[in-house]
Amino acid sequence: MITHPYDTNSGIPIRRYDEQGKLICDFVENQEGIFEYHAEKRFIVPPGLLQKVFEFHALIETCEGAPILITGPTGVGKSLFIHMYCEWYKKKKGKYAKINTVNCSHMEKSLARSELFGHVRGAFTGANRDKAGWIKEAEGGVLILEEIGELPPECQAQLLTFIEDGNYHRVGDTEIRHAADISILGATNKKANEMREDFWNRFLNFYIPPLHERRGDVLYYVAVKYPEIIKELHPWETLSLLAYHWPGNVREIDRVIRSIKATKYLRDHNPFKDIELPTLFDISREHSRLSPQEADYLFHDLKRNGFDVEFFEDLLNGYNVGLSTNNISKFFDIPDLYEEYLSHKHVMDFGITGLGSEIEKEKEIAILKEYEDTFKIEIPPICKPFFIAQLGYEIFCLLFFKLPSFNHNCLKIDELCTPGARGFVYDYIPKEYLEKFEKLKKQAFKFLSKIDLSEEEILPPNGSPGSGPSRWDFLLNLAEKYPGNEFLARIFGDILEKQDPAIDIFKMNEKELLKYYYAGLHERYGSSVEEIAMVSGKSTSGTYTILRRQGINIK
């Protein structure tokens, strides 16, 4: 039986997904040989979430009924892990599985306690009968509390008490009741400082990283959910998708692609043939702040300033990305590319997971197939063109002092920079390009800093010390040579301008300097870890760790 027929023109399975990545329709061949819709829903697991899937599986297998809190920004994909938990629980309990799901944001604040714990008749106006409450309903099963952070603080305290000893009482009742064998799974976009500290700490916290920390997943979401759009991408559009920080996460991708689909339809069915229509990626500001035209603006800005844009564009195009809108090549012009993307049989040398596993590909495929069947998810293999495009984006970031995971549109090169760099991308630059690439680095540095490096000066590729000097040390030496340089002041968070005259940062070792740097950021931004993370180019969780290691107190 053919369960996933392919479009004859593109080789794409005829599938459609909702905004959370659920498979909402599929074509299946019935006994008469006619393809009809099949309603089974599946979640997509792009490479950036695969390790999290393994971690979540380990957590639920070993948590022994302890409450779990799934956290992460809005639209990041928390529903995938709720779905995984439900599938795991149903297989564990079989026909006795009992799962109740409540969205706490739908509760009236004044009635939240009643919704959870129930009430007795006459407890308040309108309480004309006894109500059991969700806790009682979920006894012997699982209670999933979506948007649990919306519960009022007093209700959080009462739920915490119940989690501790299983005891509660209904609103308007003094009788202590007990509910046994209830597993609680919560999900929220709130942060620790937005909820009761004791409540937050009682849960096993499972964090889902935002899309800007795993930008390579963007192309997978587009390809799997909207395959007709991925075919249309030009190099400058691909770079724009990777460079954008997607504050709305997966939901924003959905809004953007729907906007693009509407524009594509208008172009294909243009009733006014003599009127020039907008480009495919001319996205309404109502849907997103993504503006791919910024790539072309940057291209011409670089060209006006003497940058070797021809070589730069040629280099980037080798990775399926670029800046110039004059390049009309398509992302999927390579023959048989879809077959490689869609089939587990066509696997890259480093495996379909990209996690560096040493096991044989056949075993790797079998493991993933078992996960797909167990949790009813879909794990697409690593797509070579997507991996190459990510490398092109990394090279762009290396040149313009960006971290690929910045919570920031990296095409805006004059807004946020870092002394760090991911020098591993040098291994993926063709040897015949390396000499020109060194000149390109100096041109990019001059464009950003207005400092013209001599031929003898070499801008180190890495952000931390290794066998030679680091970028950090190199830039500090330049800061001493060019006091008041705006770019260098911005890159070090204005610390150079505000430093105590009695402190000579140029005599500090790297450990001392890092502590001084983060102490300065903490003084400037207070306890806003998100802002410190954005400036330093680290993830929010990574910034928490660094601050604690430096002895900096963050509430």
Side-chain angles (χ1 to χ4, degrees), residues 162-183:
F162 169 74
I163 291 172
E164 293 287 352
D165 56 23
N167 295 328
Y168 70 99
H169 61 269
R170 296 177 181 179
V171 178
D173 192 7
T174 58
E175 178 185 352
I176 295 177
R177 300 174 185 270
H178 186 81
D181 189 24
I182 296 180
S183 298

Side-chain angles (χ1 to χ4, degrees), residues 140-350:
V142 173
L143 178 60
I144 297 174
L145 298 173
E146 296 182 349
E147 307 298 342
I148 194 174
E150 299 298 327
L151 289 177
E154 60 275 13
C155 197
Q156 292 179 25
Q158 290 153 358
L159 184 56
L160 175 61
T161 301
F162 169 74
I163 291 172
E164 293 287 352
D165 56 23
N167 295 328
Y168 70 99
H169 61 269
R170 296 177 181 179
V171 178
D173 192 7
T174 58
E175 178 185 352
I176 295 177
R177 300 174 185 270
H178 186 81
D181 189 24
I182 296 180
S183 298
I184 294 180
L185 178 71
T188 183
N189 60 4
K190 301 290 187 182
K191 301 180 178 65
N193 60 357
E194 297 175 291
M195 298 174 66
R196 286 181 59 102
E197 184 177 4
D198 52 356
F199 185 71
W200 177 277
N201 291 333
R202 186 60 183 81
F203 285 80
L204 297 175
N205 196 313
F206 187 80
Y207 178 72
I208 312 301
L211 202 52
H212 71 80
E213 292 184 15
R214 47 187 179 93
R215 274 173 159 93
D217 286 354
V218 174
L219 298 178
Y220 286 86
Y221 284 122
V222 176
V224 175
K225 294 168 66 177
Y226 303 101
E228 69 276 22
I229 297 299
I230 200 74
K231 295 187 300 179
E232 302 288 331
L233 291 183
H234 300 303
W236 58 279
E237 293 166 335
T238 305
L239 181 59
S240 298
L241 290 175
L242 292 171
Y244 186 57
H245 57 309
W246 300 101
N249 293 293
V250 181
R251 289 178 184 169
E252 187 173 2
I253 291 180
D254 192 71
R255 292 197 304 271
V256 166
I257 302 303
R258 289 178 187 276
S259 177
I260 291 171
K261 285 180 67 176
T263 305
K264 185 177 185 301
Y265 181 88
L266 182 59
R267 288 165 62 88
D268 294 343
H269 303 81
N270 182 11
F272 305 103
K273 303 299 182 183
D274 57 337
I275 297 178
E276 184 177 351
L277 294 174
T279 60
L280 194 65
F281 264 64
D282 198 7
I283 300 161
S284 169
R285 286 288 186 179
E286 297 174 359
H287 297 115
S288 174
R289 294 294 174 183
L290 171 65
S291 178
Q293 286 78 5
E294 288 174 359
D296 198 51
Y297 296 156
L298 177 57
F299 177 84
H300 289 290
D301 199 11
L302 292 171
K303 187 174 182 179
R304 284 192 299 270
N305 284 271
F307 199 84
D308 189 353
V309 291
E310 286 77 16
F311 169 68
F312 187 39
E313 189 69 11
D314 182 55
L315 174 66
L316 291 180
N317 288 170
Y319 299 89
N320 291 333
V321 295
L323 290 173
S324 176
T325 55
N326 291 328
N327 188 335
I328 60 173
S329 64
K330 299 293 182 66
F331 193 85
F332 278 101
D333 281 344
I334 304 172
D336 299 327
L337 202 53
Y338 279 110
E339 184 180 10
E340 178 181 10
Y341 171 67
L342 294 164
S343 173
H344 282 308
K345 296 177 182 178
H346 295 262
V347 183
M348 294 188 61
D349 291 339
F350 51 77

Side-chain angles (χ1 to χ4, degrees), residues 89-134:
Y89 189 79
K90 285 188 287 187
K91 285 178 172 57
K92 183 179 179 181
K93 295 291 185 179
K95 64 180 181 179
Y96 299 105
K98 184 178 180 182
I99 300 173
N100 292 275
T101 302
V102 183
N103 192 314
C104 299
S105 65
H106 295 169
M107 298 180 183
E108 287 188 33
K109 300 292 185 184
S110 60
L111 297 178
R113 182 182 163 199
S114 169
E115 292 287 335
L116 282 178
F117 300 104
H119 62 253
V120 296
R121 180 181 177 183
F124 50 84
T125 303
N128 50 17
R129 61 182 178 84
D130 288 355
K131 181 175 181 177
W134 283 110

